[in-house]
Amino acid sequence: MARVACGAICKLLLEQFDVEIGSHVVELGGVTASIGATAGVGAQHAAPLPGAGSPHRPAPLHLPWPLNAAADASPVRCLDPDAEREMVARIDAAKAAGDTLGGVVEVVAAGVPVGLGSHVSWDRKLDGRLAQALMSIPAVKGVELGLGFEAARRKGSEVHDEIMPGFARATNRAGGTEGGMTTGEPLVLHVAMKPISTLMSPLRTVDLASGAPAQAQSERSDVTAVPAMGVIAEAMIALMLAQAMLEKFGGDSLGEMKRNFQGYLAQVGARIPKGAAS
């Protein structure tokens, strides 16, 4: 609860710089949605350098935007109506069987400026910090950026994002970071959550005092926490991005931070050759 509350404050700070974060469920109980930032794995870029994207621009990566408004219209926060119906059916079936389900949430941060993080210091690489923050969420067992593990199965020509005139990327397969730093493209992360460990049909365990066989306790009645986990993942990403923004642009006031930010954008923009397409 505390981290979600802090994340909400960080979101307010990020909104001052046109950075917006949203999430939606892309897999639950073995059902995979057909809508997602990497569903086409060749998603076009949404934000040209210097990366000060606005939530009022066209939806990043062909997703509805604001993302949370669309996701919250679904009982399982899924954008694919067909997948949503099957997810609900599997939740009902698992509940009847006394079982639980896991899944995957996609989190997208739009409008993130280029250059956050570090390509020099291992402990300041933004992708590493994001992965650590998300892995700290209880029951989270895996994190991907962009194509993630799919990148290991492809040829280099099908993985790397070509740089276009104006320094934007033709695709966003990397998920918004390269070399530990943001590229100015939307951040796209996938967060995998295991099923809830306390089942209504308890699994076998042992009594810690005697070592004798026993049945695990039934401590909660919900079948899945995947949709709710997306909210926590958003908060963790907001915390990491706000920290990175403060490190790069911080000052003694919001006004000073905005001035530093605008100066940085002007400096980066001045490096783009005149006449280059954005």
Side-chain angles (χ1 to χ4, degrees):
M1 290 292 292
R3 293 196 291 181
V4 173
C6 290
I9 296 173
C10 290
K11 279 189 173 184
L12 292 176
L13 173 64
L14 294 171
E15 285 175 5
Q16 296 295 312
F17 301 91
D18 285 334
V19 178
E20 186 172 350
I21 303 170
S23 68
H24 64 116
V25 173
V26 294
E27 187 173 342
L28 201 160
V31 180
T32 302
S34 63
I35 300 175
T38 57
V41 294
Q44 294 181 345
H45 72 86
L49 290 181
S54 166
H56 305 296
R57 288 181 180 177
L61 304 169
H62 310 293
L63 291 173
W65 206 262
L67 181 54
N68 282 342
D72 289 342
S74 164
V76 289
R77 305 197 77 243
C78 178
L79 301 177
D80 181 343
D82 293 333
E84 174 195 299
R85 285 189 288 271
E86 183 60 27
M87 289 175 184
V88 171
R90 294 202 183 186
I91 290 172
D92 292 340
K95 183 175 180 64
D99 218 331
T100 58
L101 301 174
V104 180
V105 165
E106 181 174 80
V107 189
V108 180
V112 180
V114 65
L116 299 183
S118 173
H119 67 282
V120 177
S121 303
W122 65 268
D123 56 334
R124 292 178 55 220
K125 289 168 65 74
L126 187 61
D127 47 5
R129 291 159 69 176
L130 289 168
Q132 191 279 330
L134 292 170
M135 285 295 293
S136 74
I137 300 172
V140 166
K141 290 299 180 182
V143 176
E144 293 182 325
L145 274 82
L147 289 180
F149 283 97
E150 177 62 24
R153 306 182 186 103
R154 294 170 168 243
K155 295 178 290 186
S157 59
E158 299 172 343
V159 171
H160 301 295
D161 300 310
E162 294 179 301
I163 302 174
M164 308 300 288
F167 302 130
R169 302 304 196 274
T171 53
N172 189 29
R173 296 160 177 159
T177 67
E178 286 181 358
M181 302 180 72
T182 54
T183 63
E185 306 295 335
L187 285 176
V188 181
L189 301 102
H190 293 96
V191 190
M193 185 182 202
K194 70 175 183 178
I196 294 168
S197 56
T198 53
L199 280 63
M200 295 306 292
S201 297
L203 299 175
R204 292 179 297 175
T205 185
V206 296
D207 185 290
L208 292 178
S210 66
Q215 293 293 318
Q217 295 295 315
S218 299
E219 298 178 3
R220 56 192 294 178
S221 59
D222 49 335
V223 174
T224 184
V226 174
M229 182 270 288
V231 177
I232 304 172
E234 290 178 36
M236 297 310 300
I237 290 176
L239 281 164
M240 294 299 101
L241 288 181
Q243 185 180 61
M245 292 280 287
L246 286 168
E247 289 171 358
K248 195 165 188 69
F249 310 116
D252 295 326
S253 66
L254 178 60
E256 184 177 356
M257 187 176 177
K258 283 187 172 182
R259 185 196 67 196
N260 296 340
F261 179 70
Q262 292 300 328
Y264 172 77
L265 295 186
Q267 178 184 4
V268 172
R271 298 183 62 183
I272 299 176
K274 286 185 169 56
S278 61

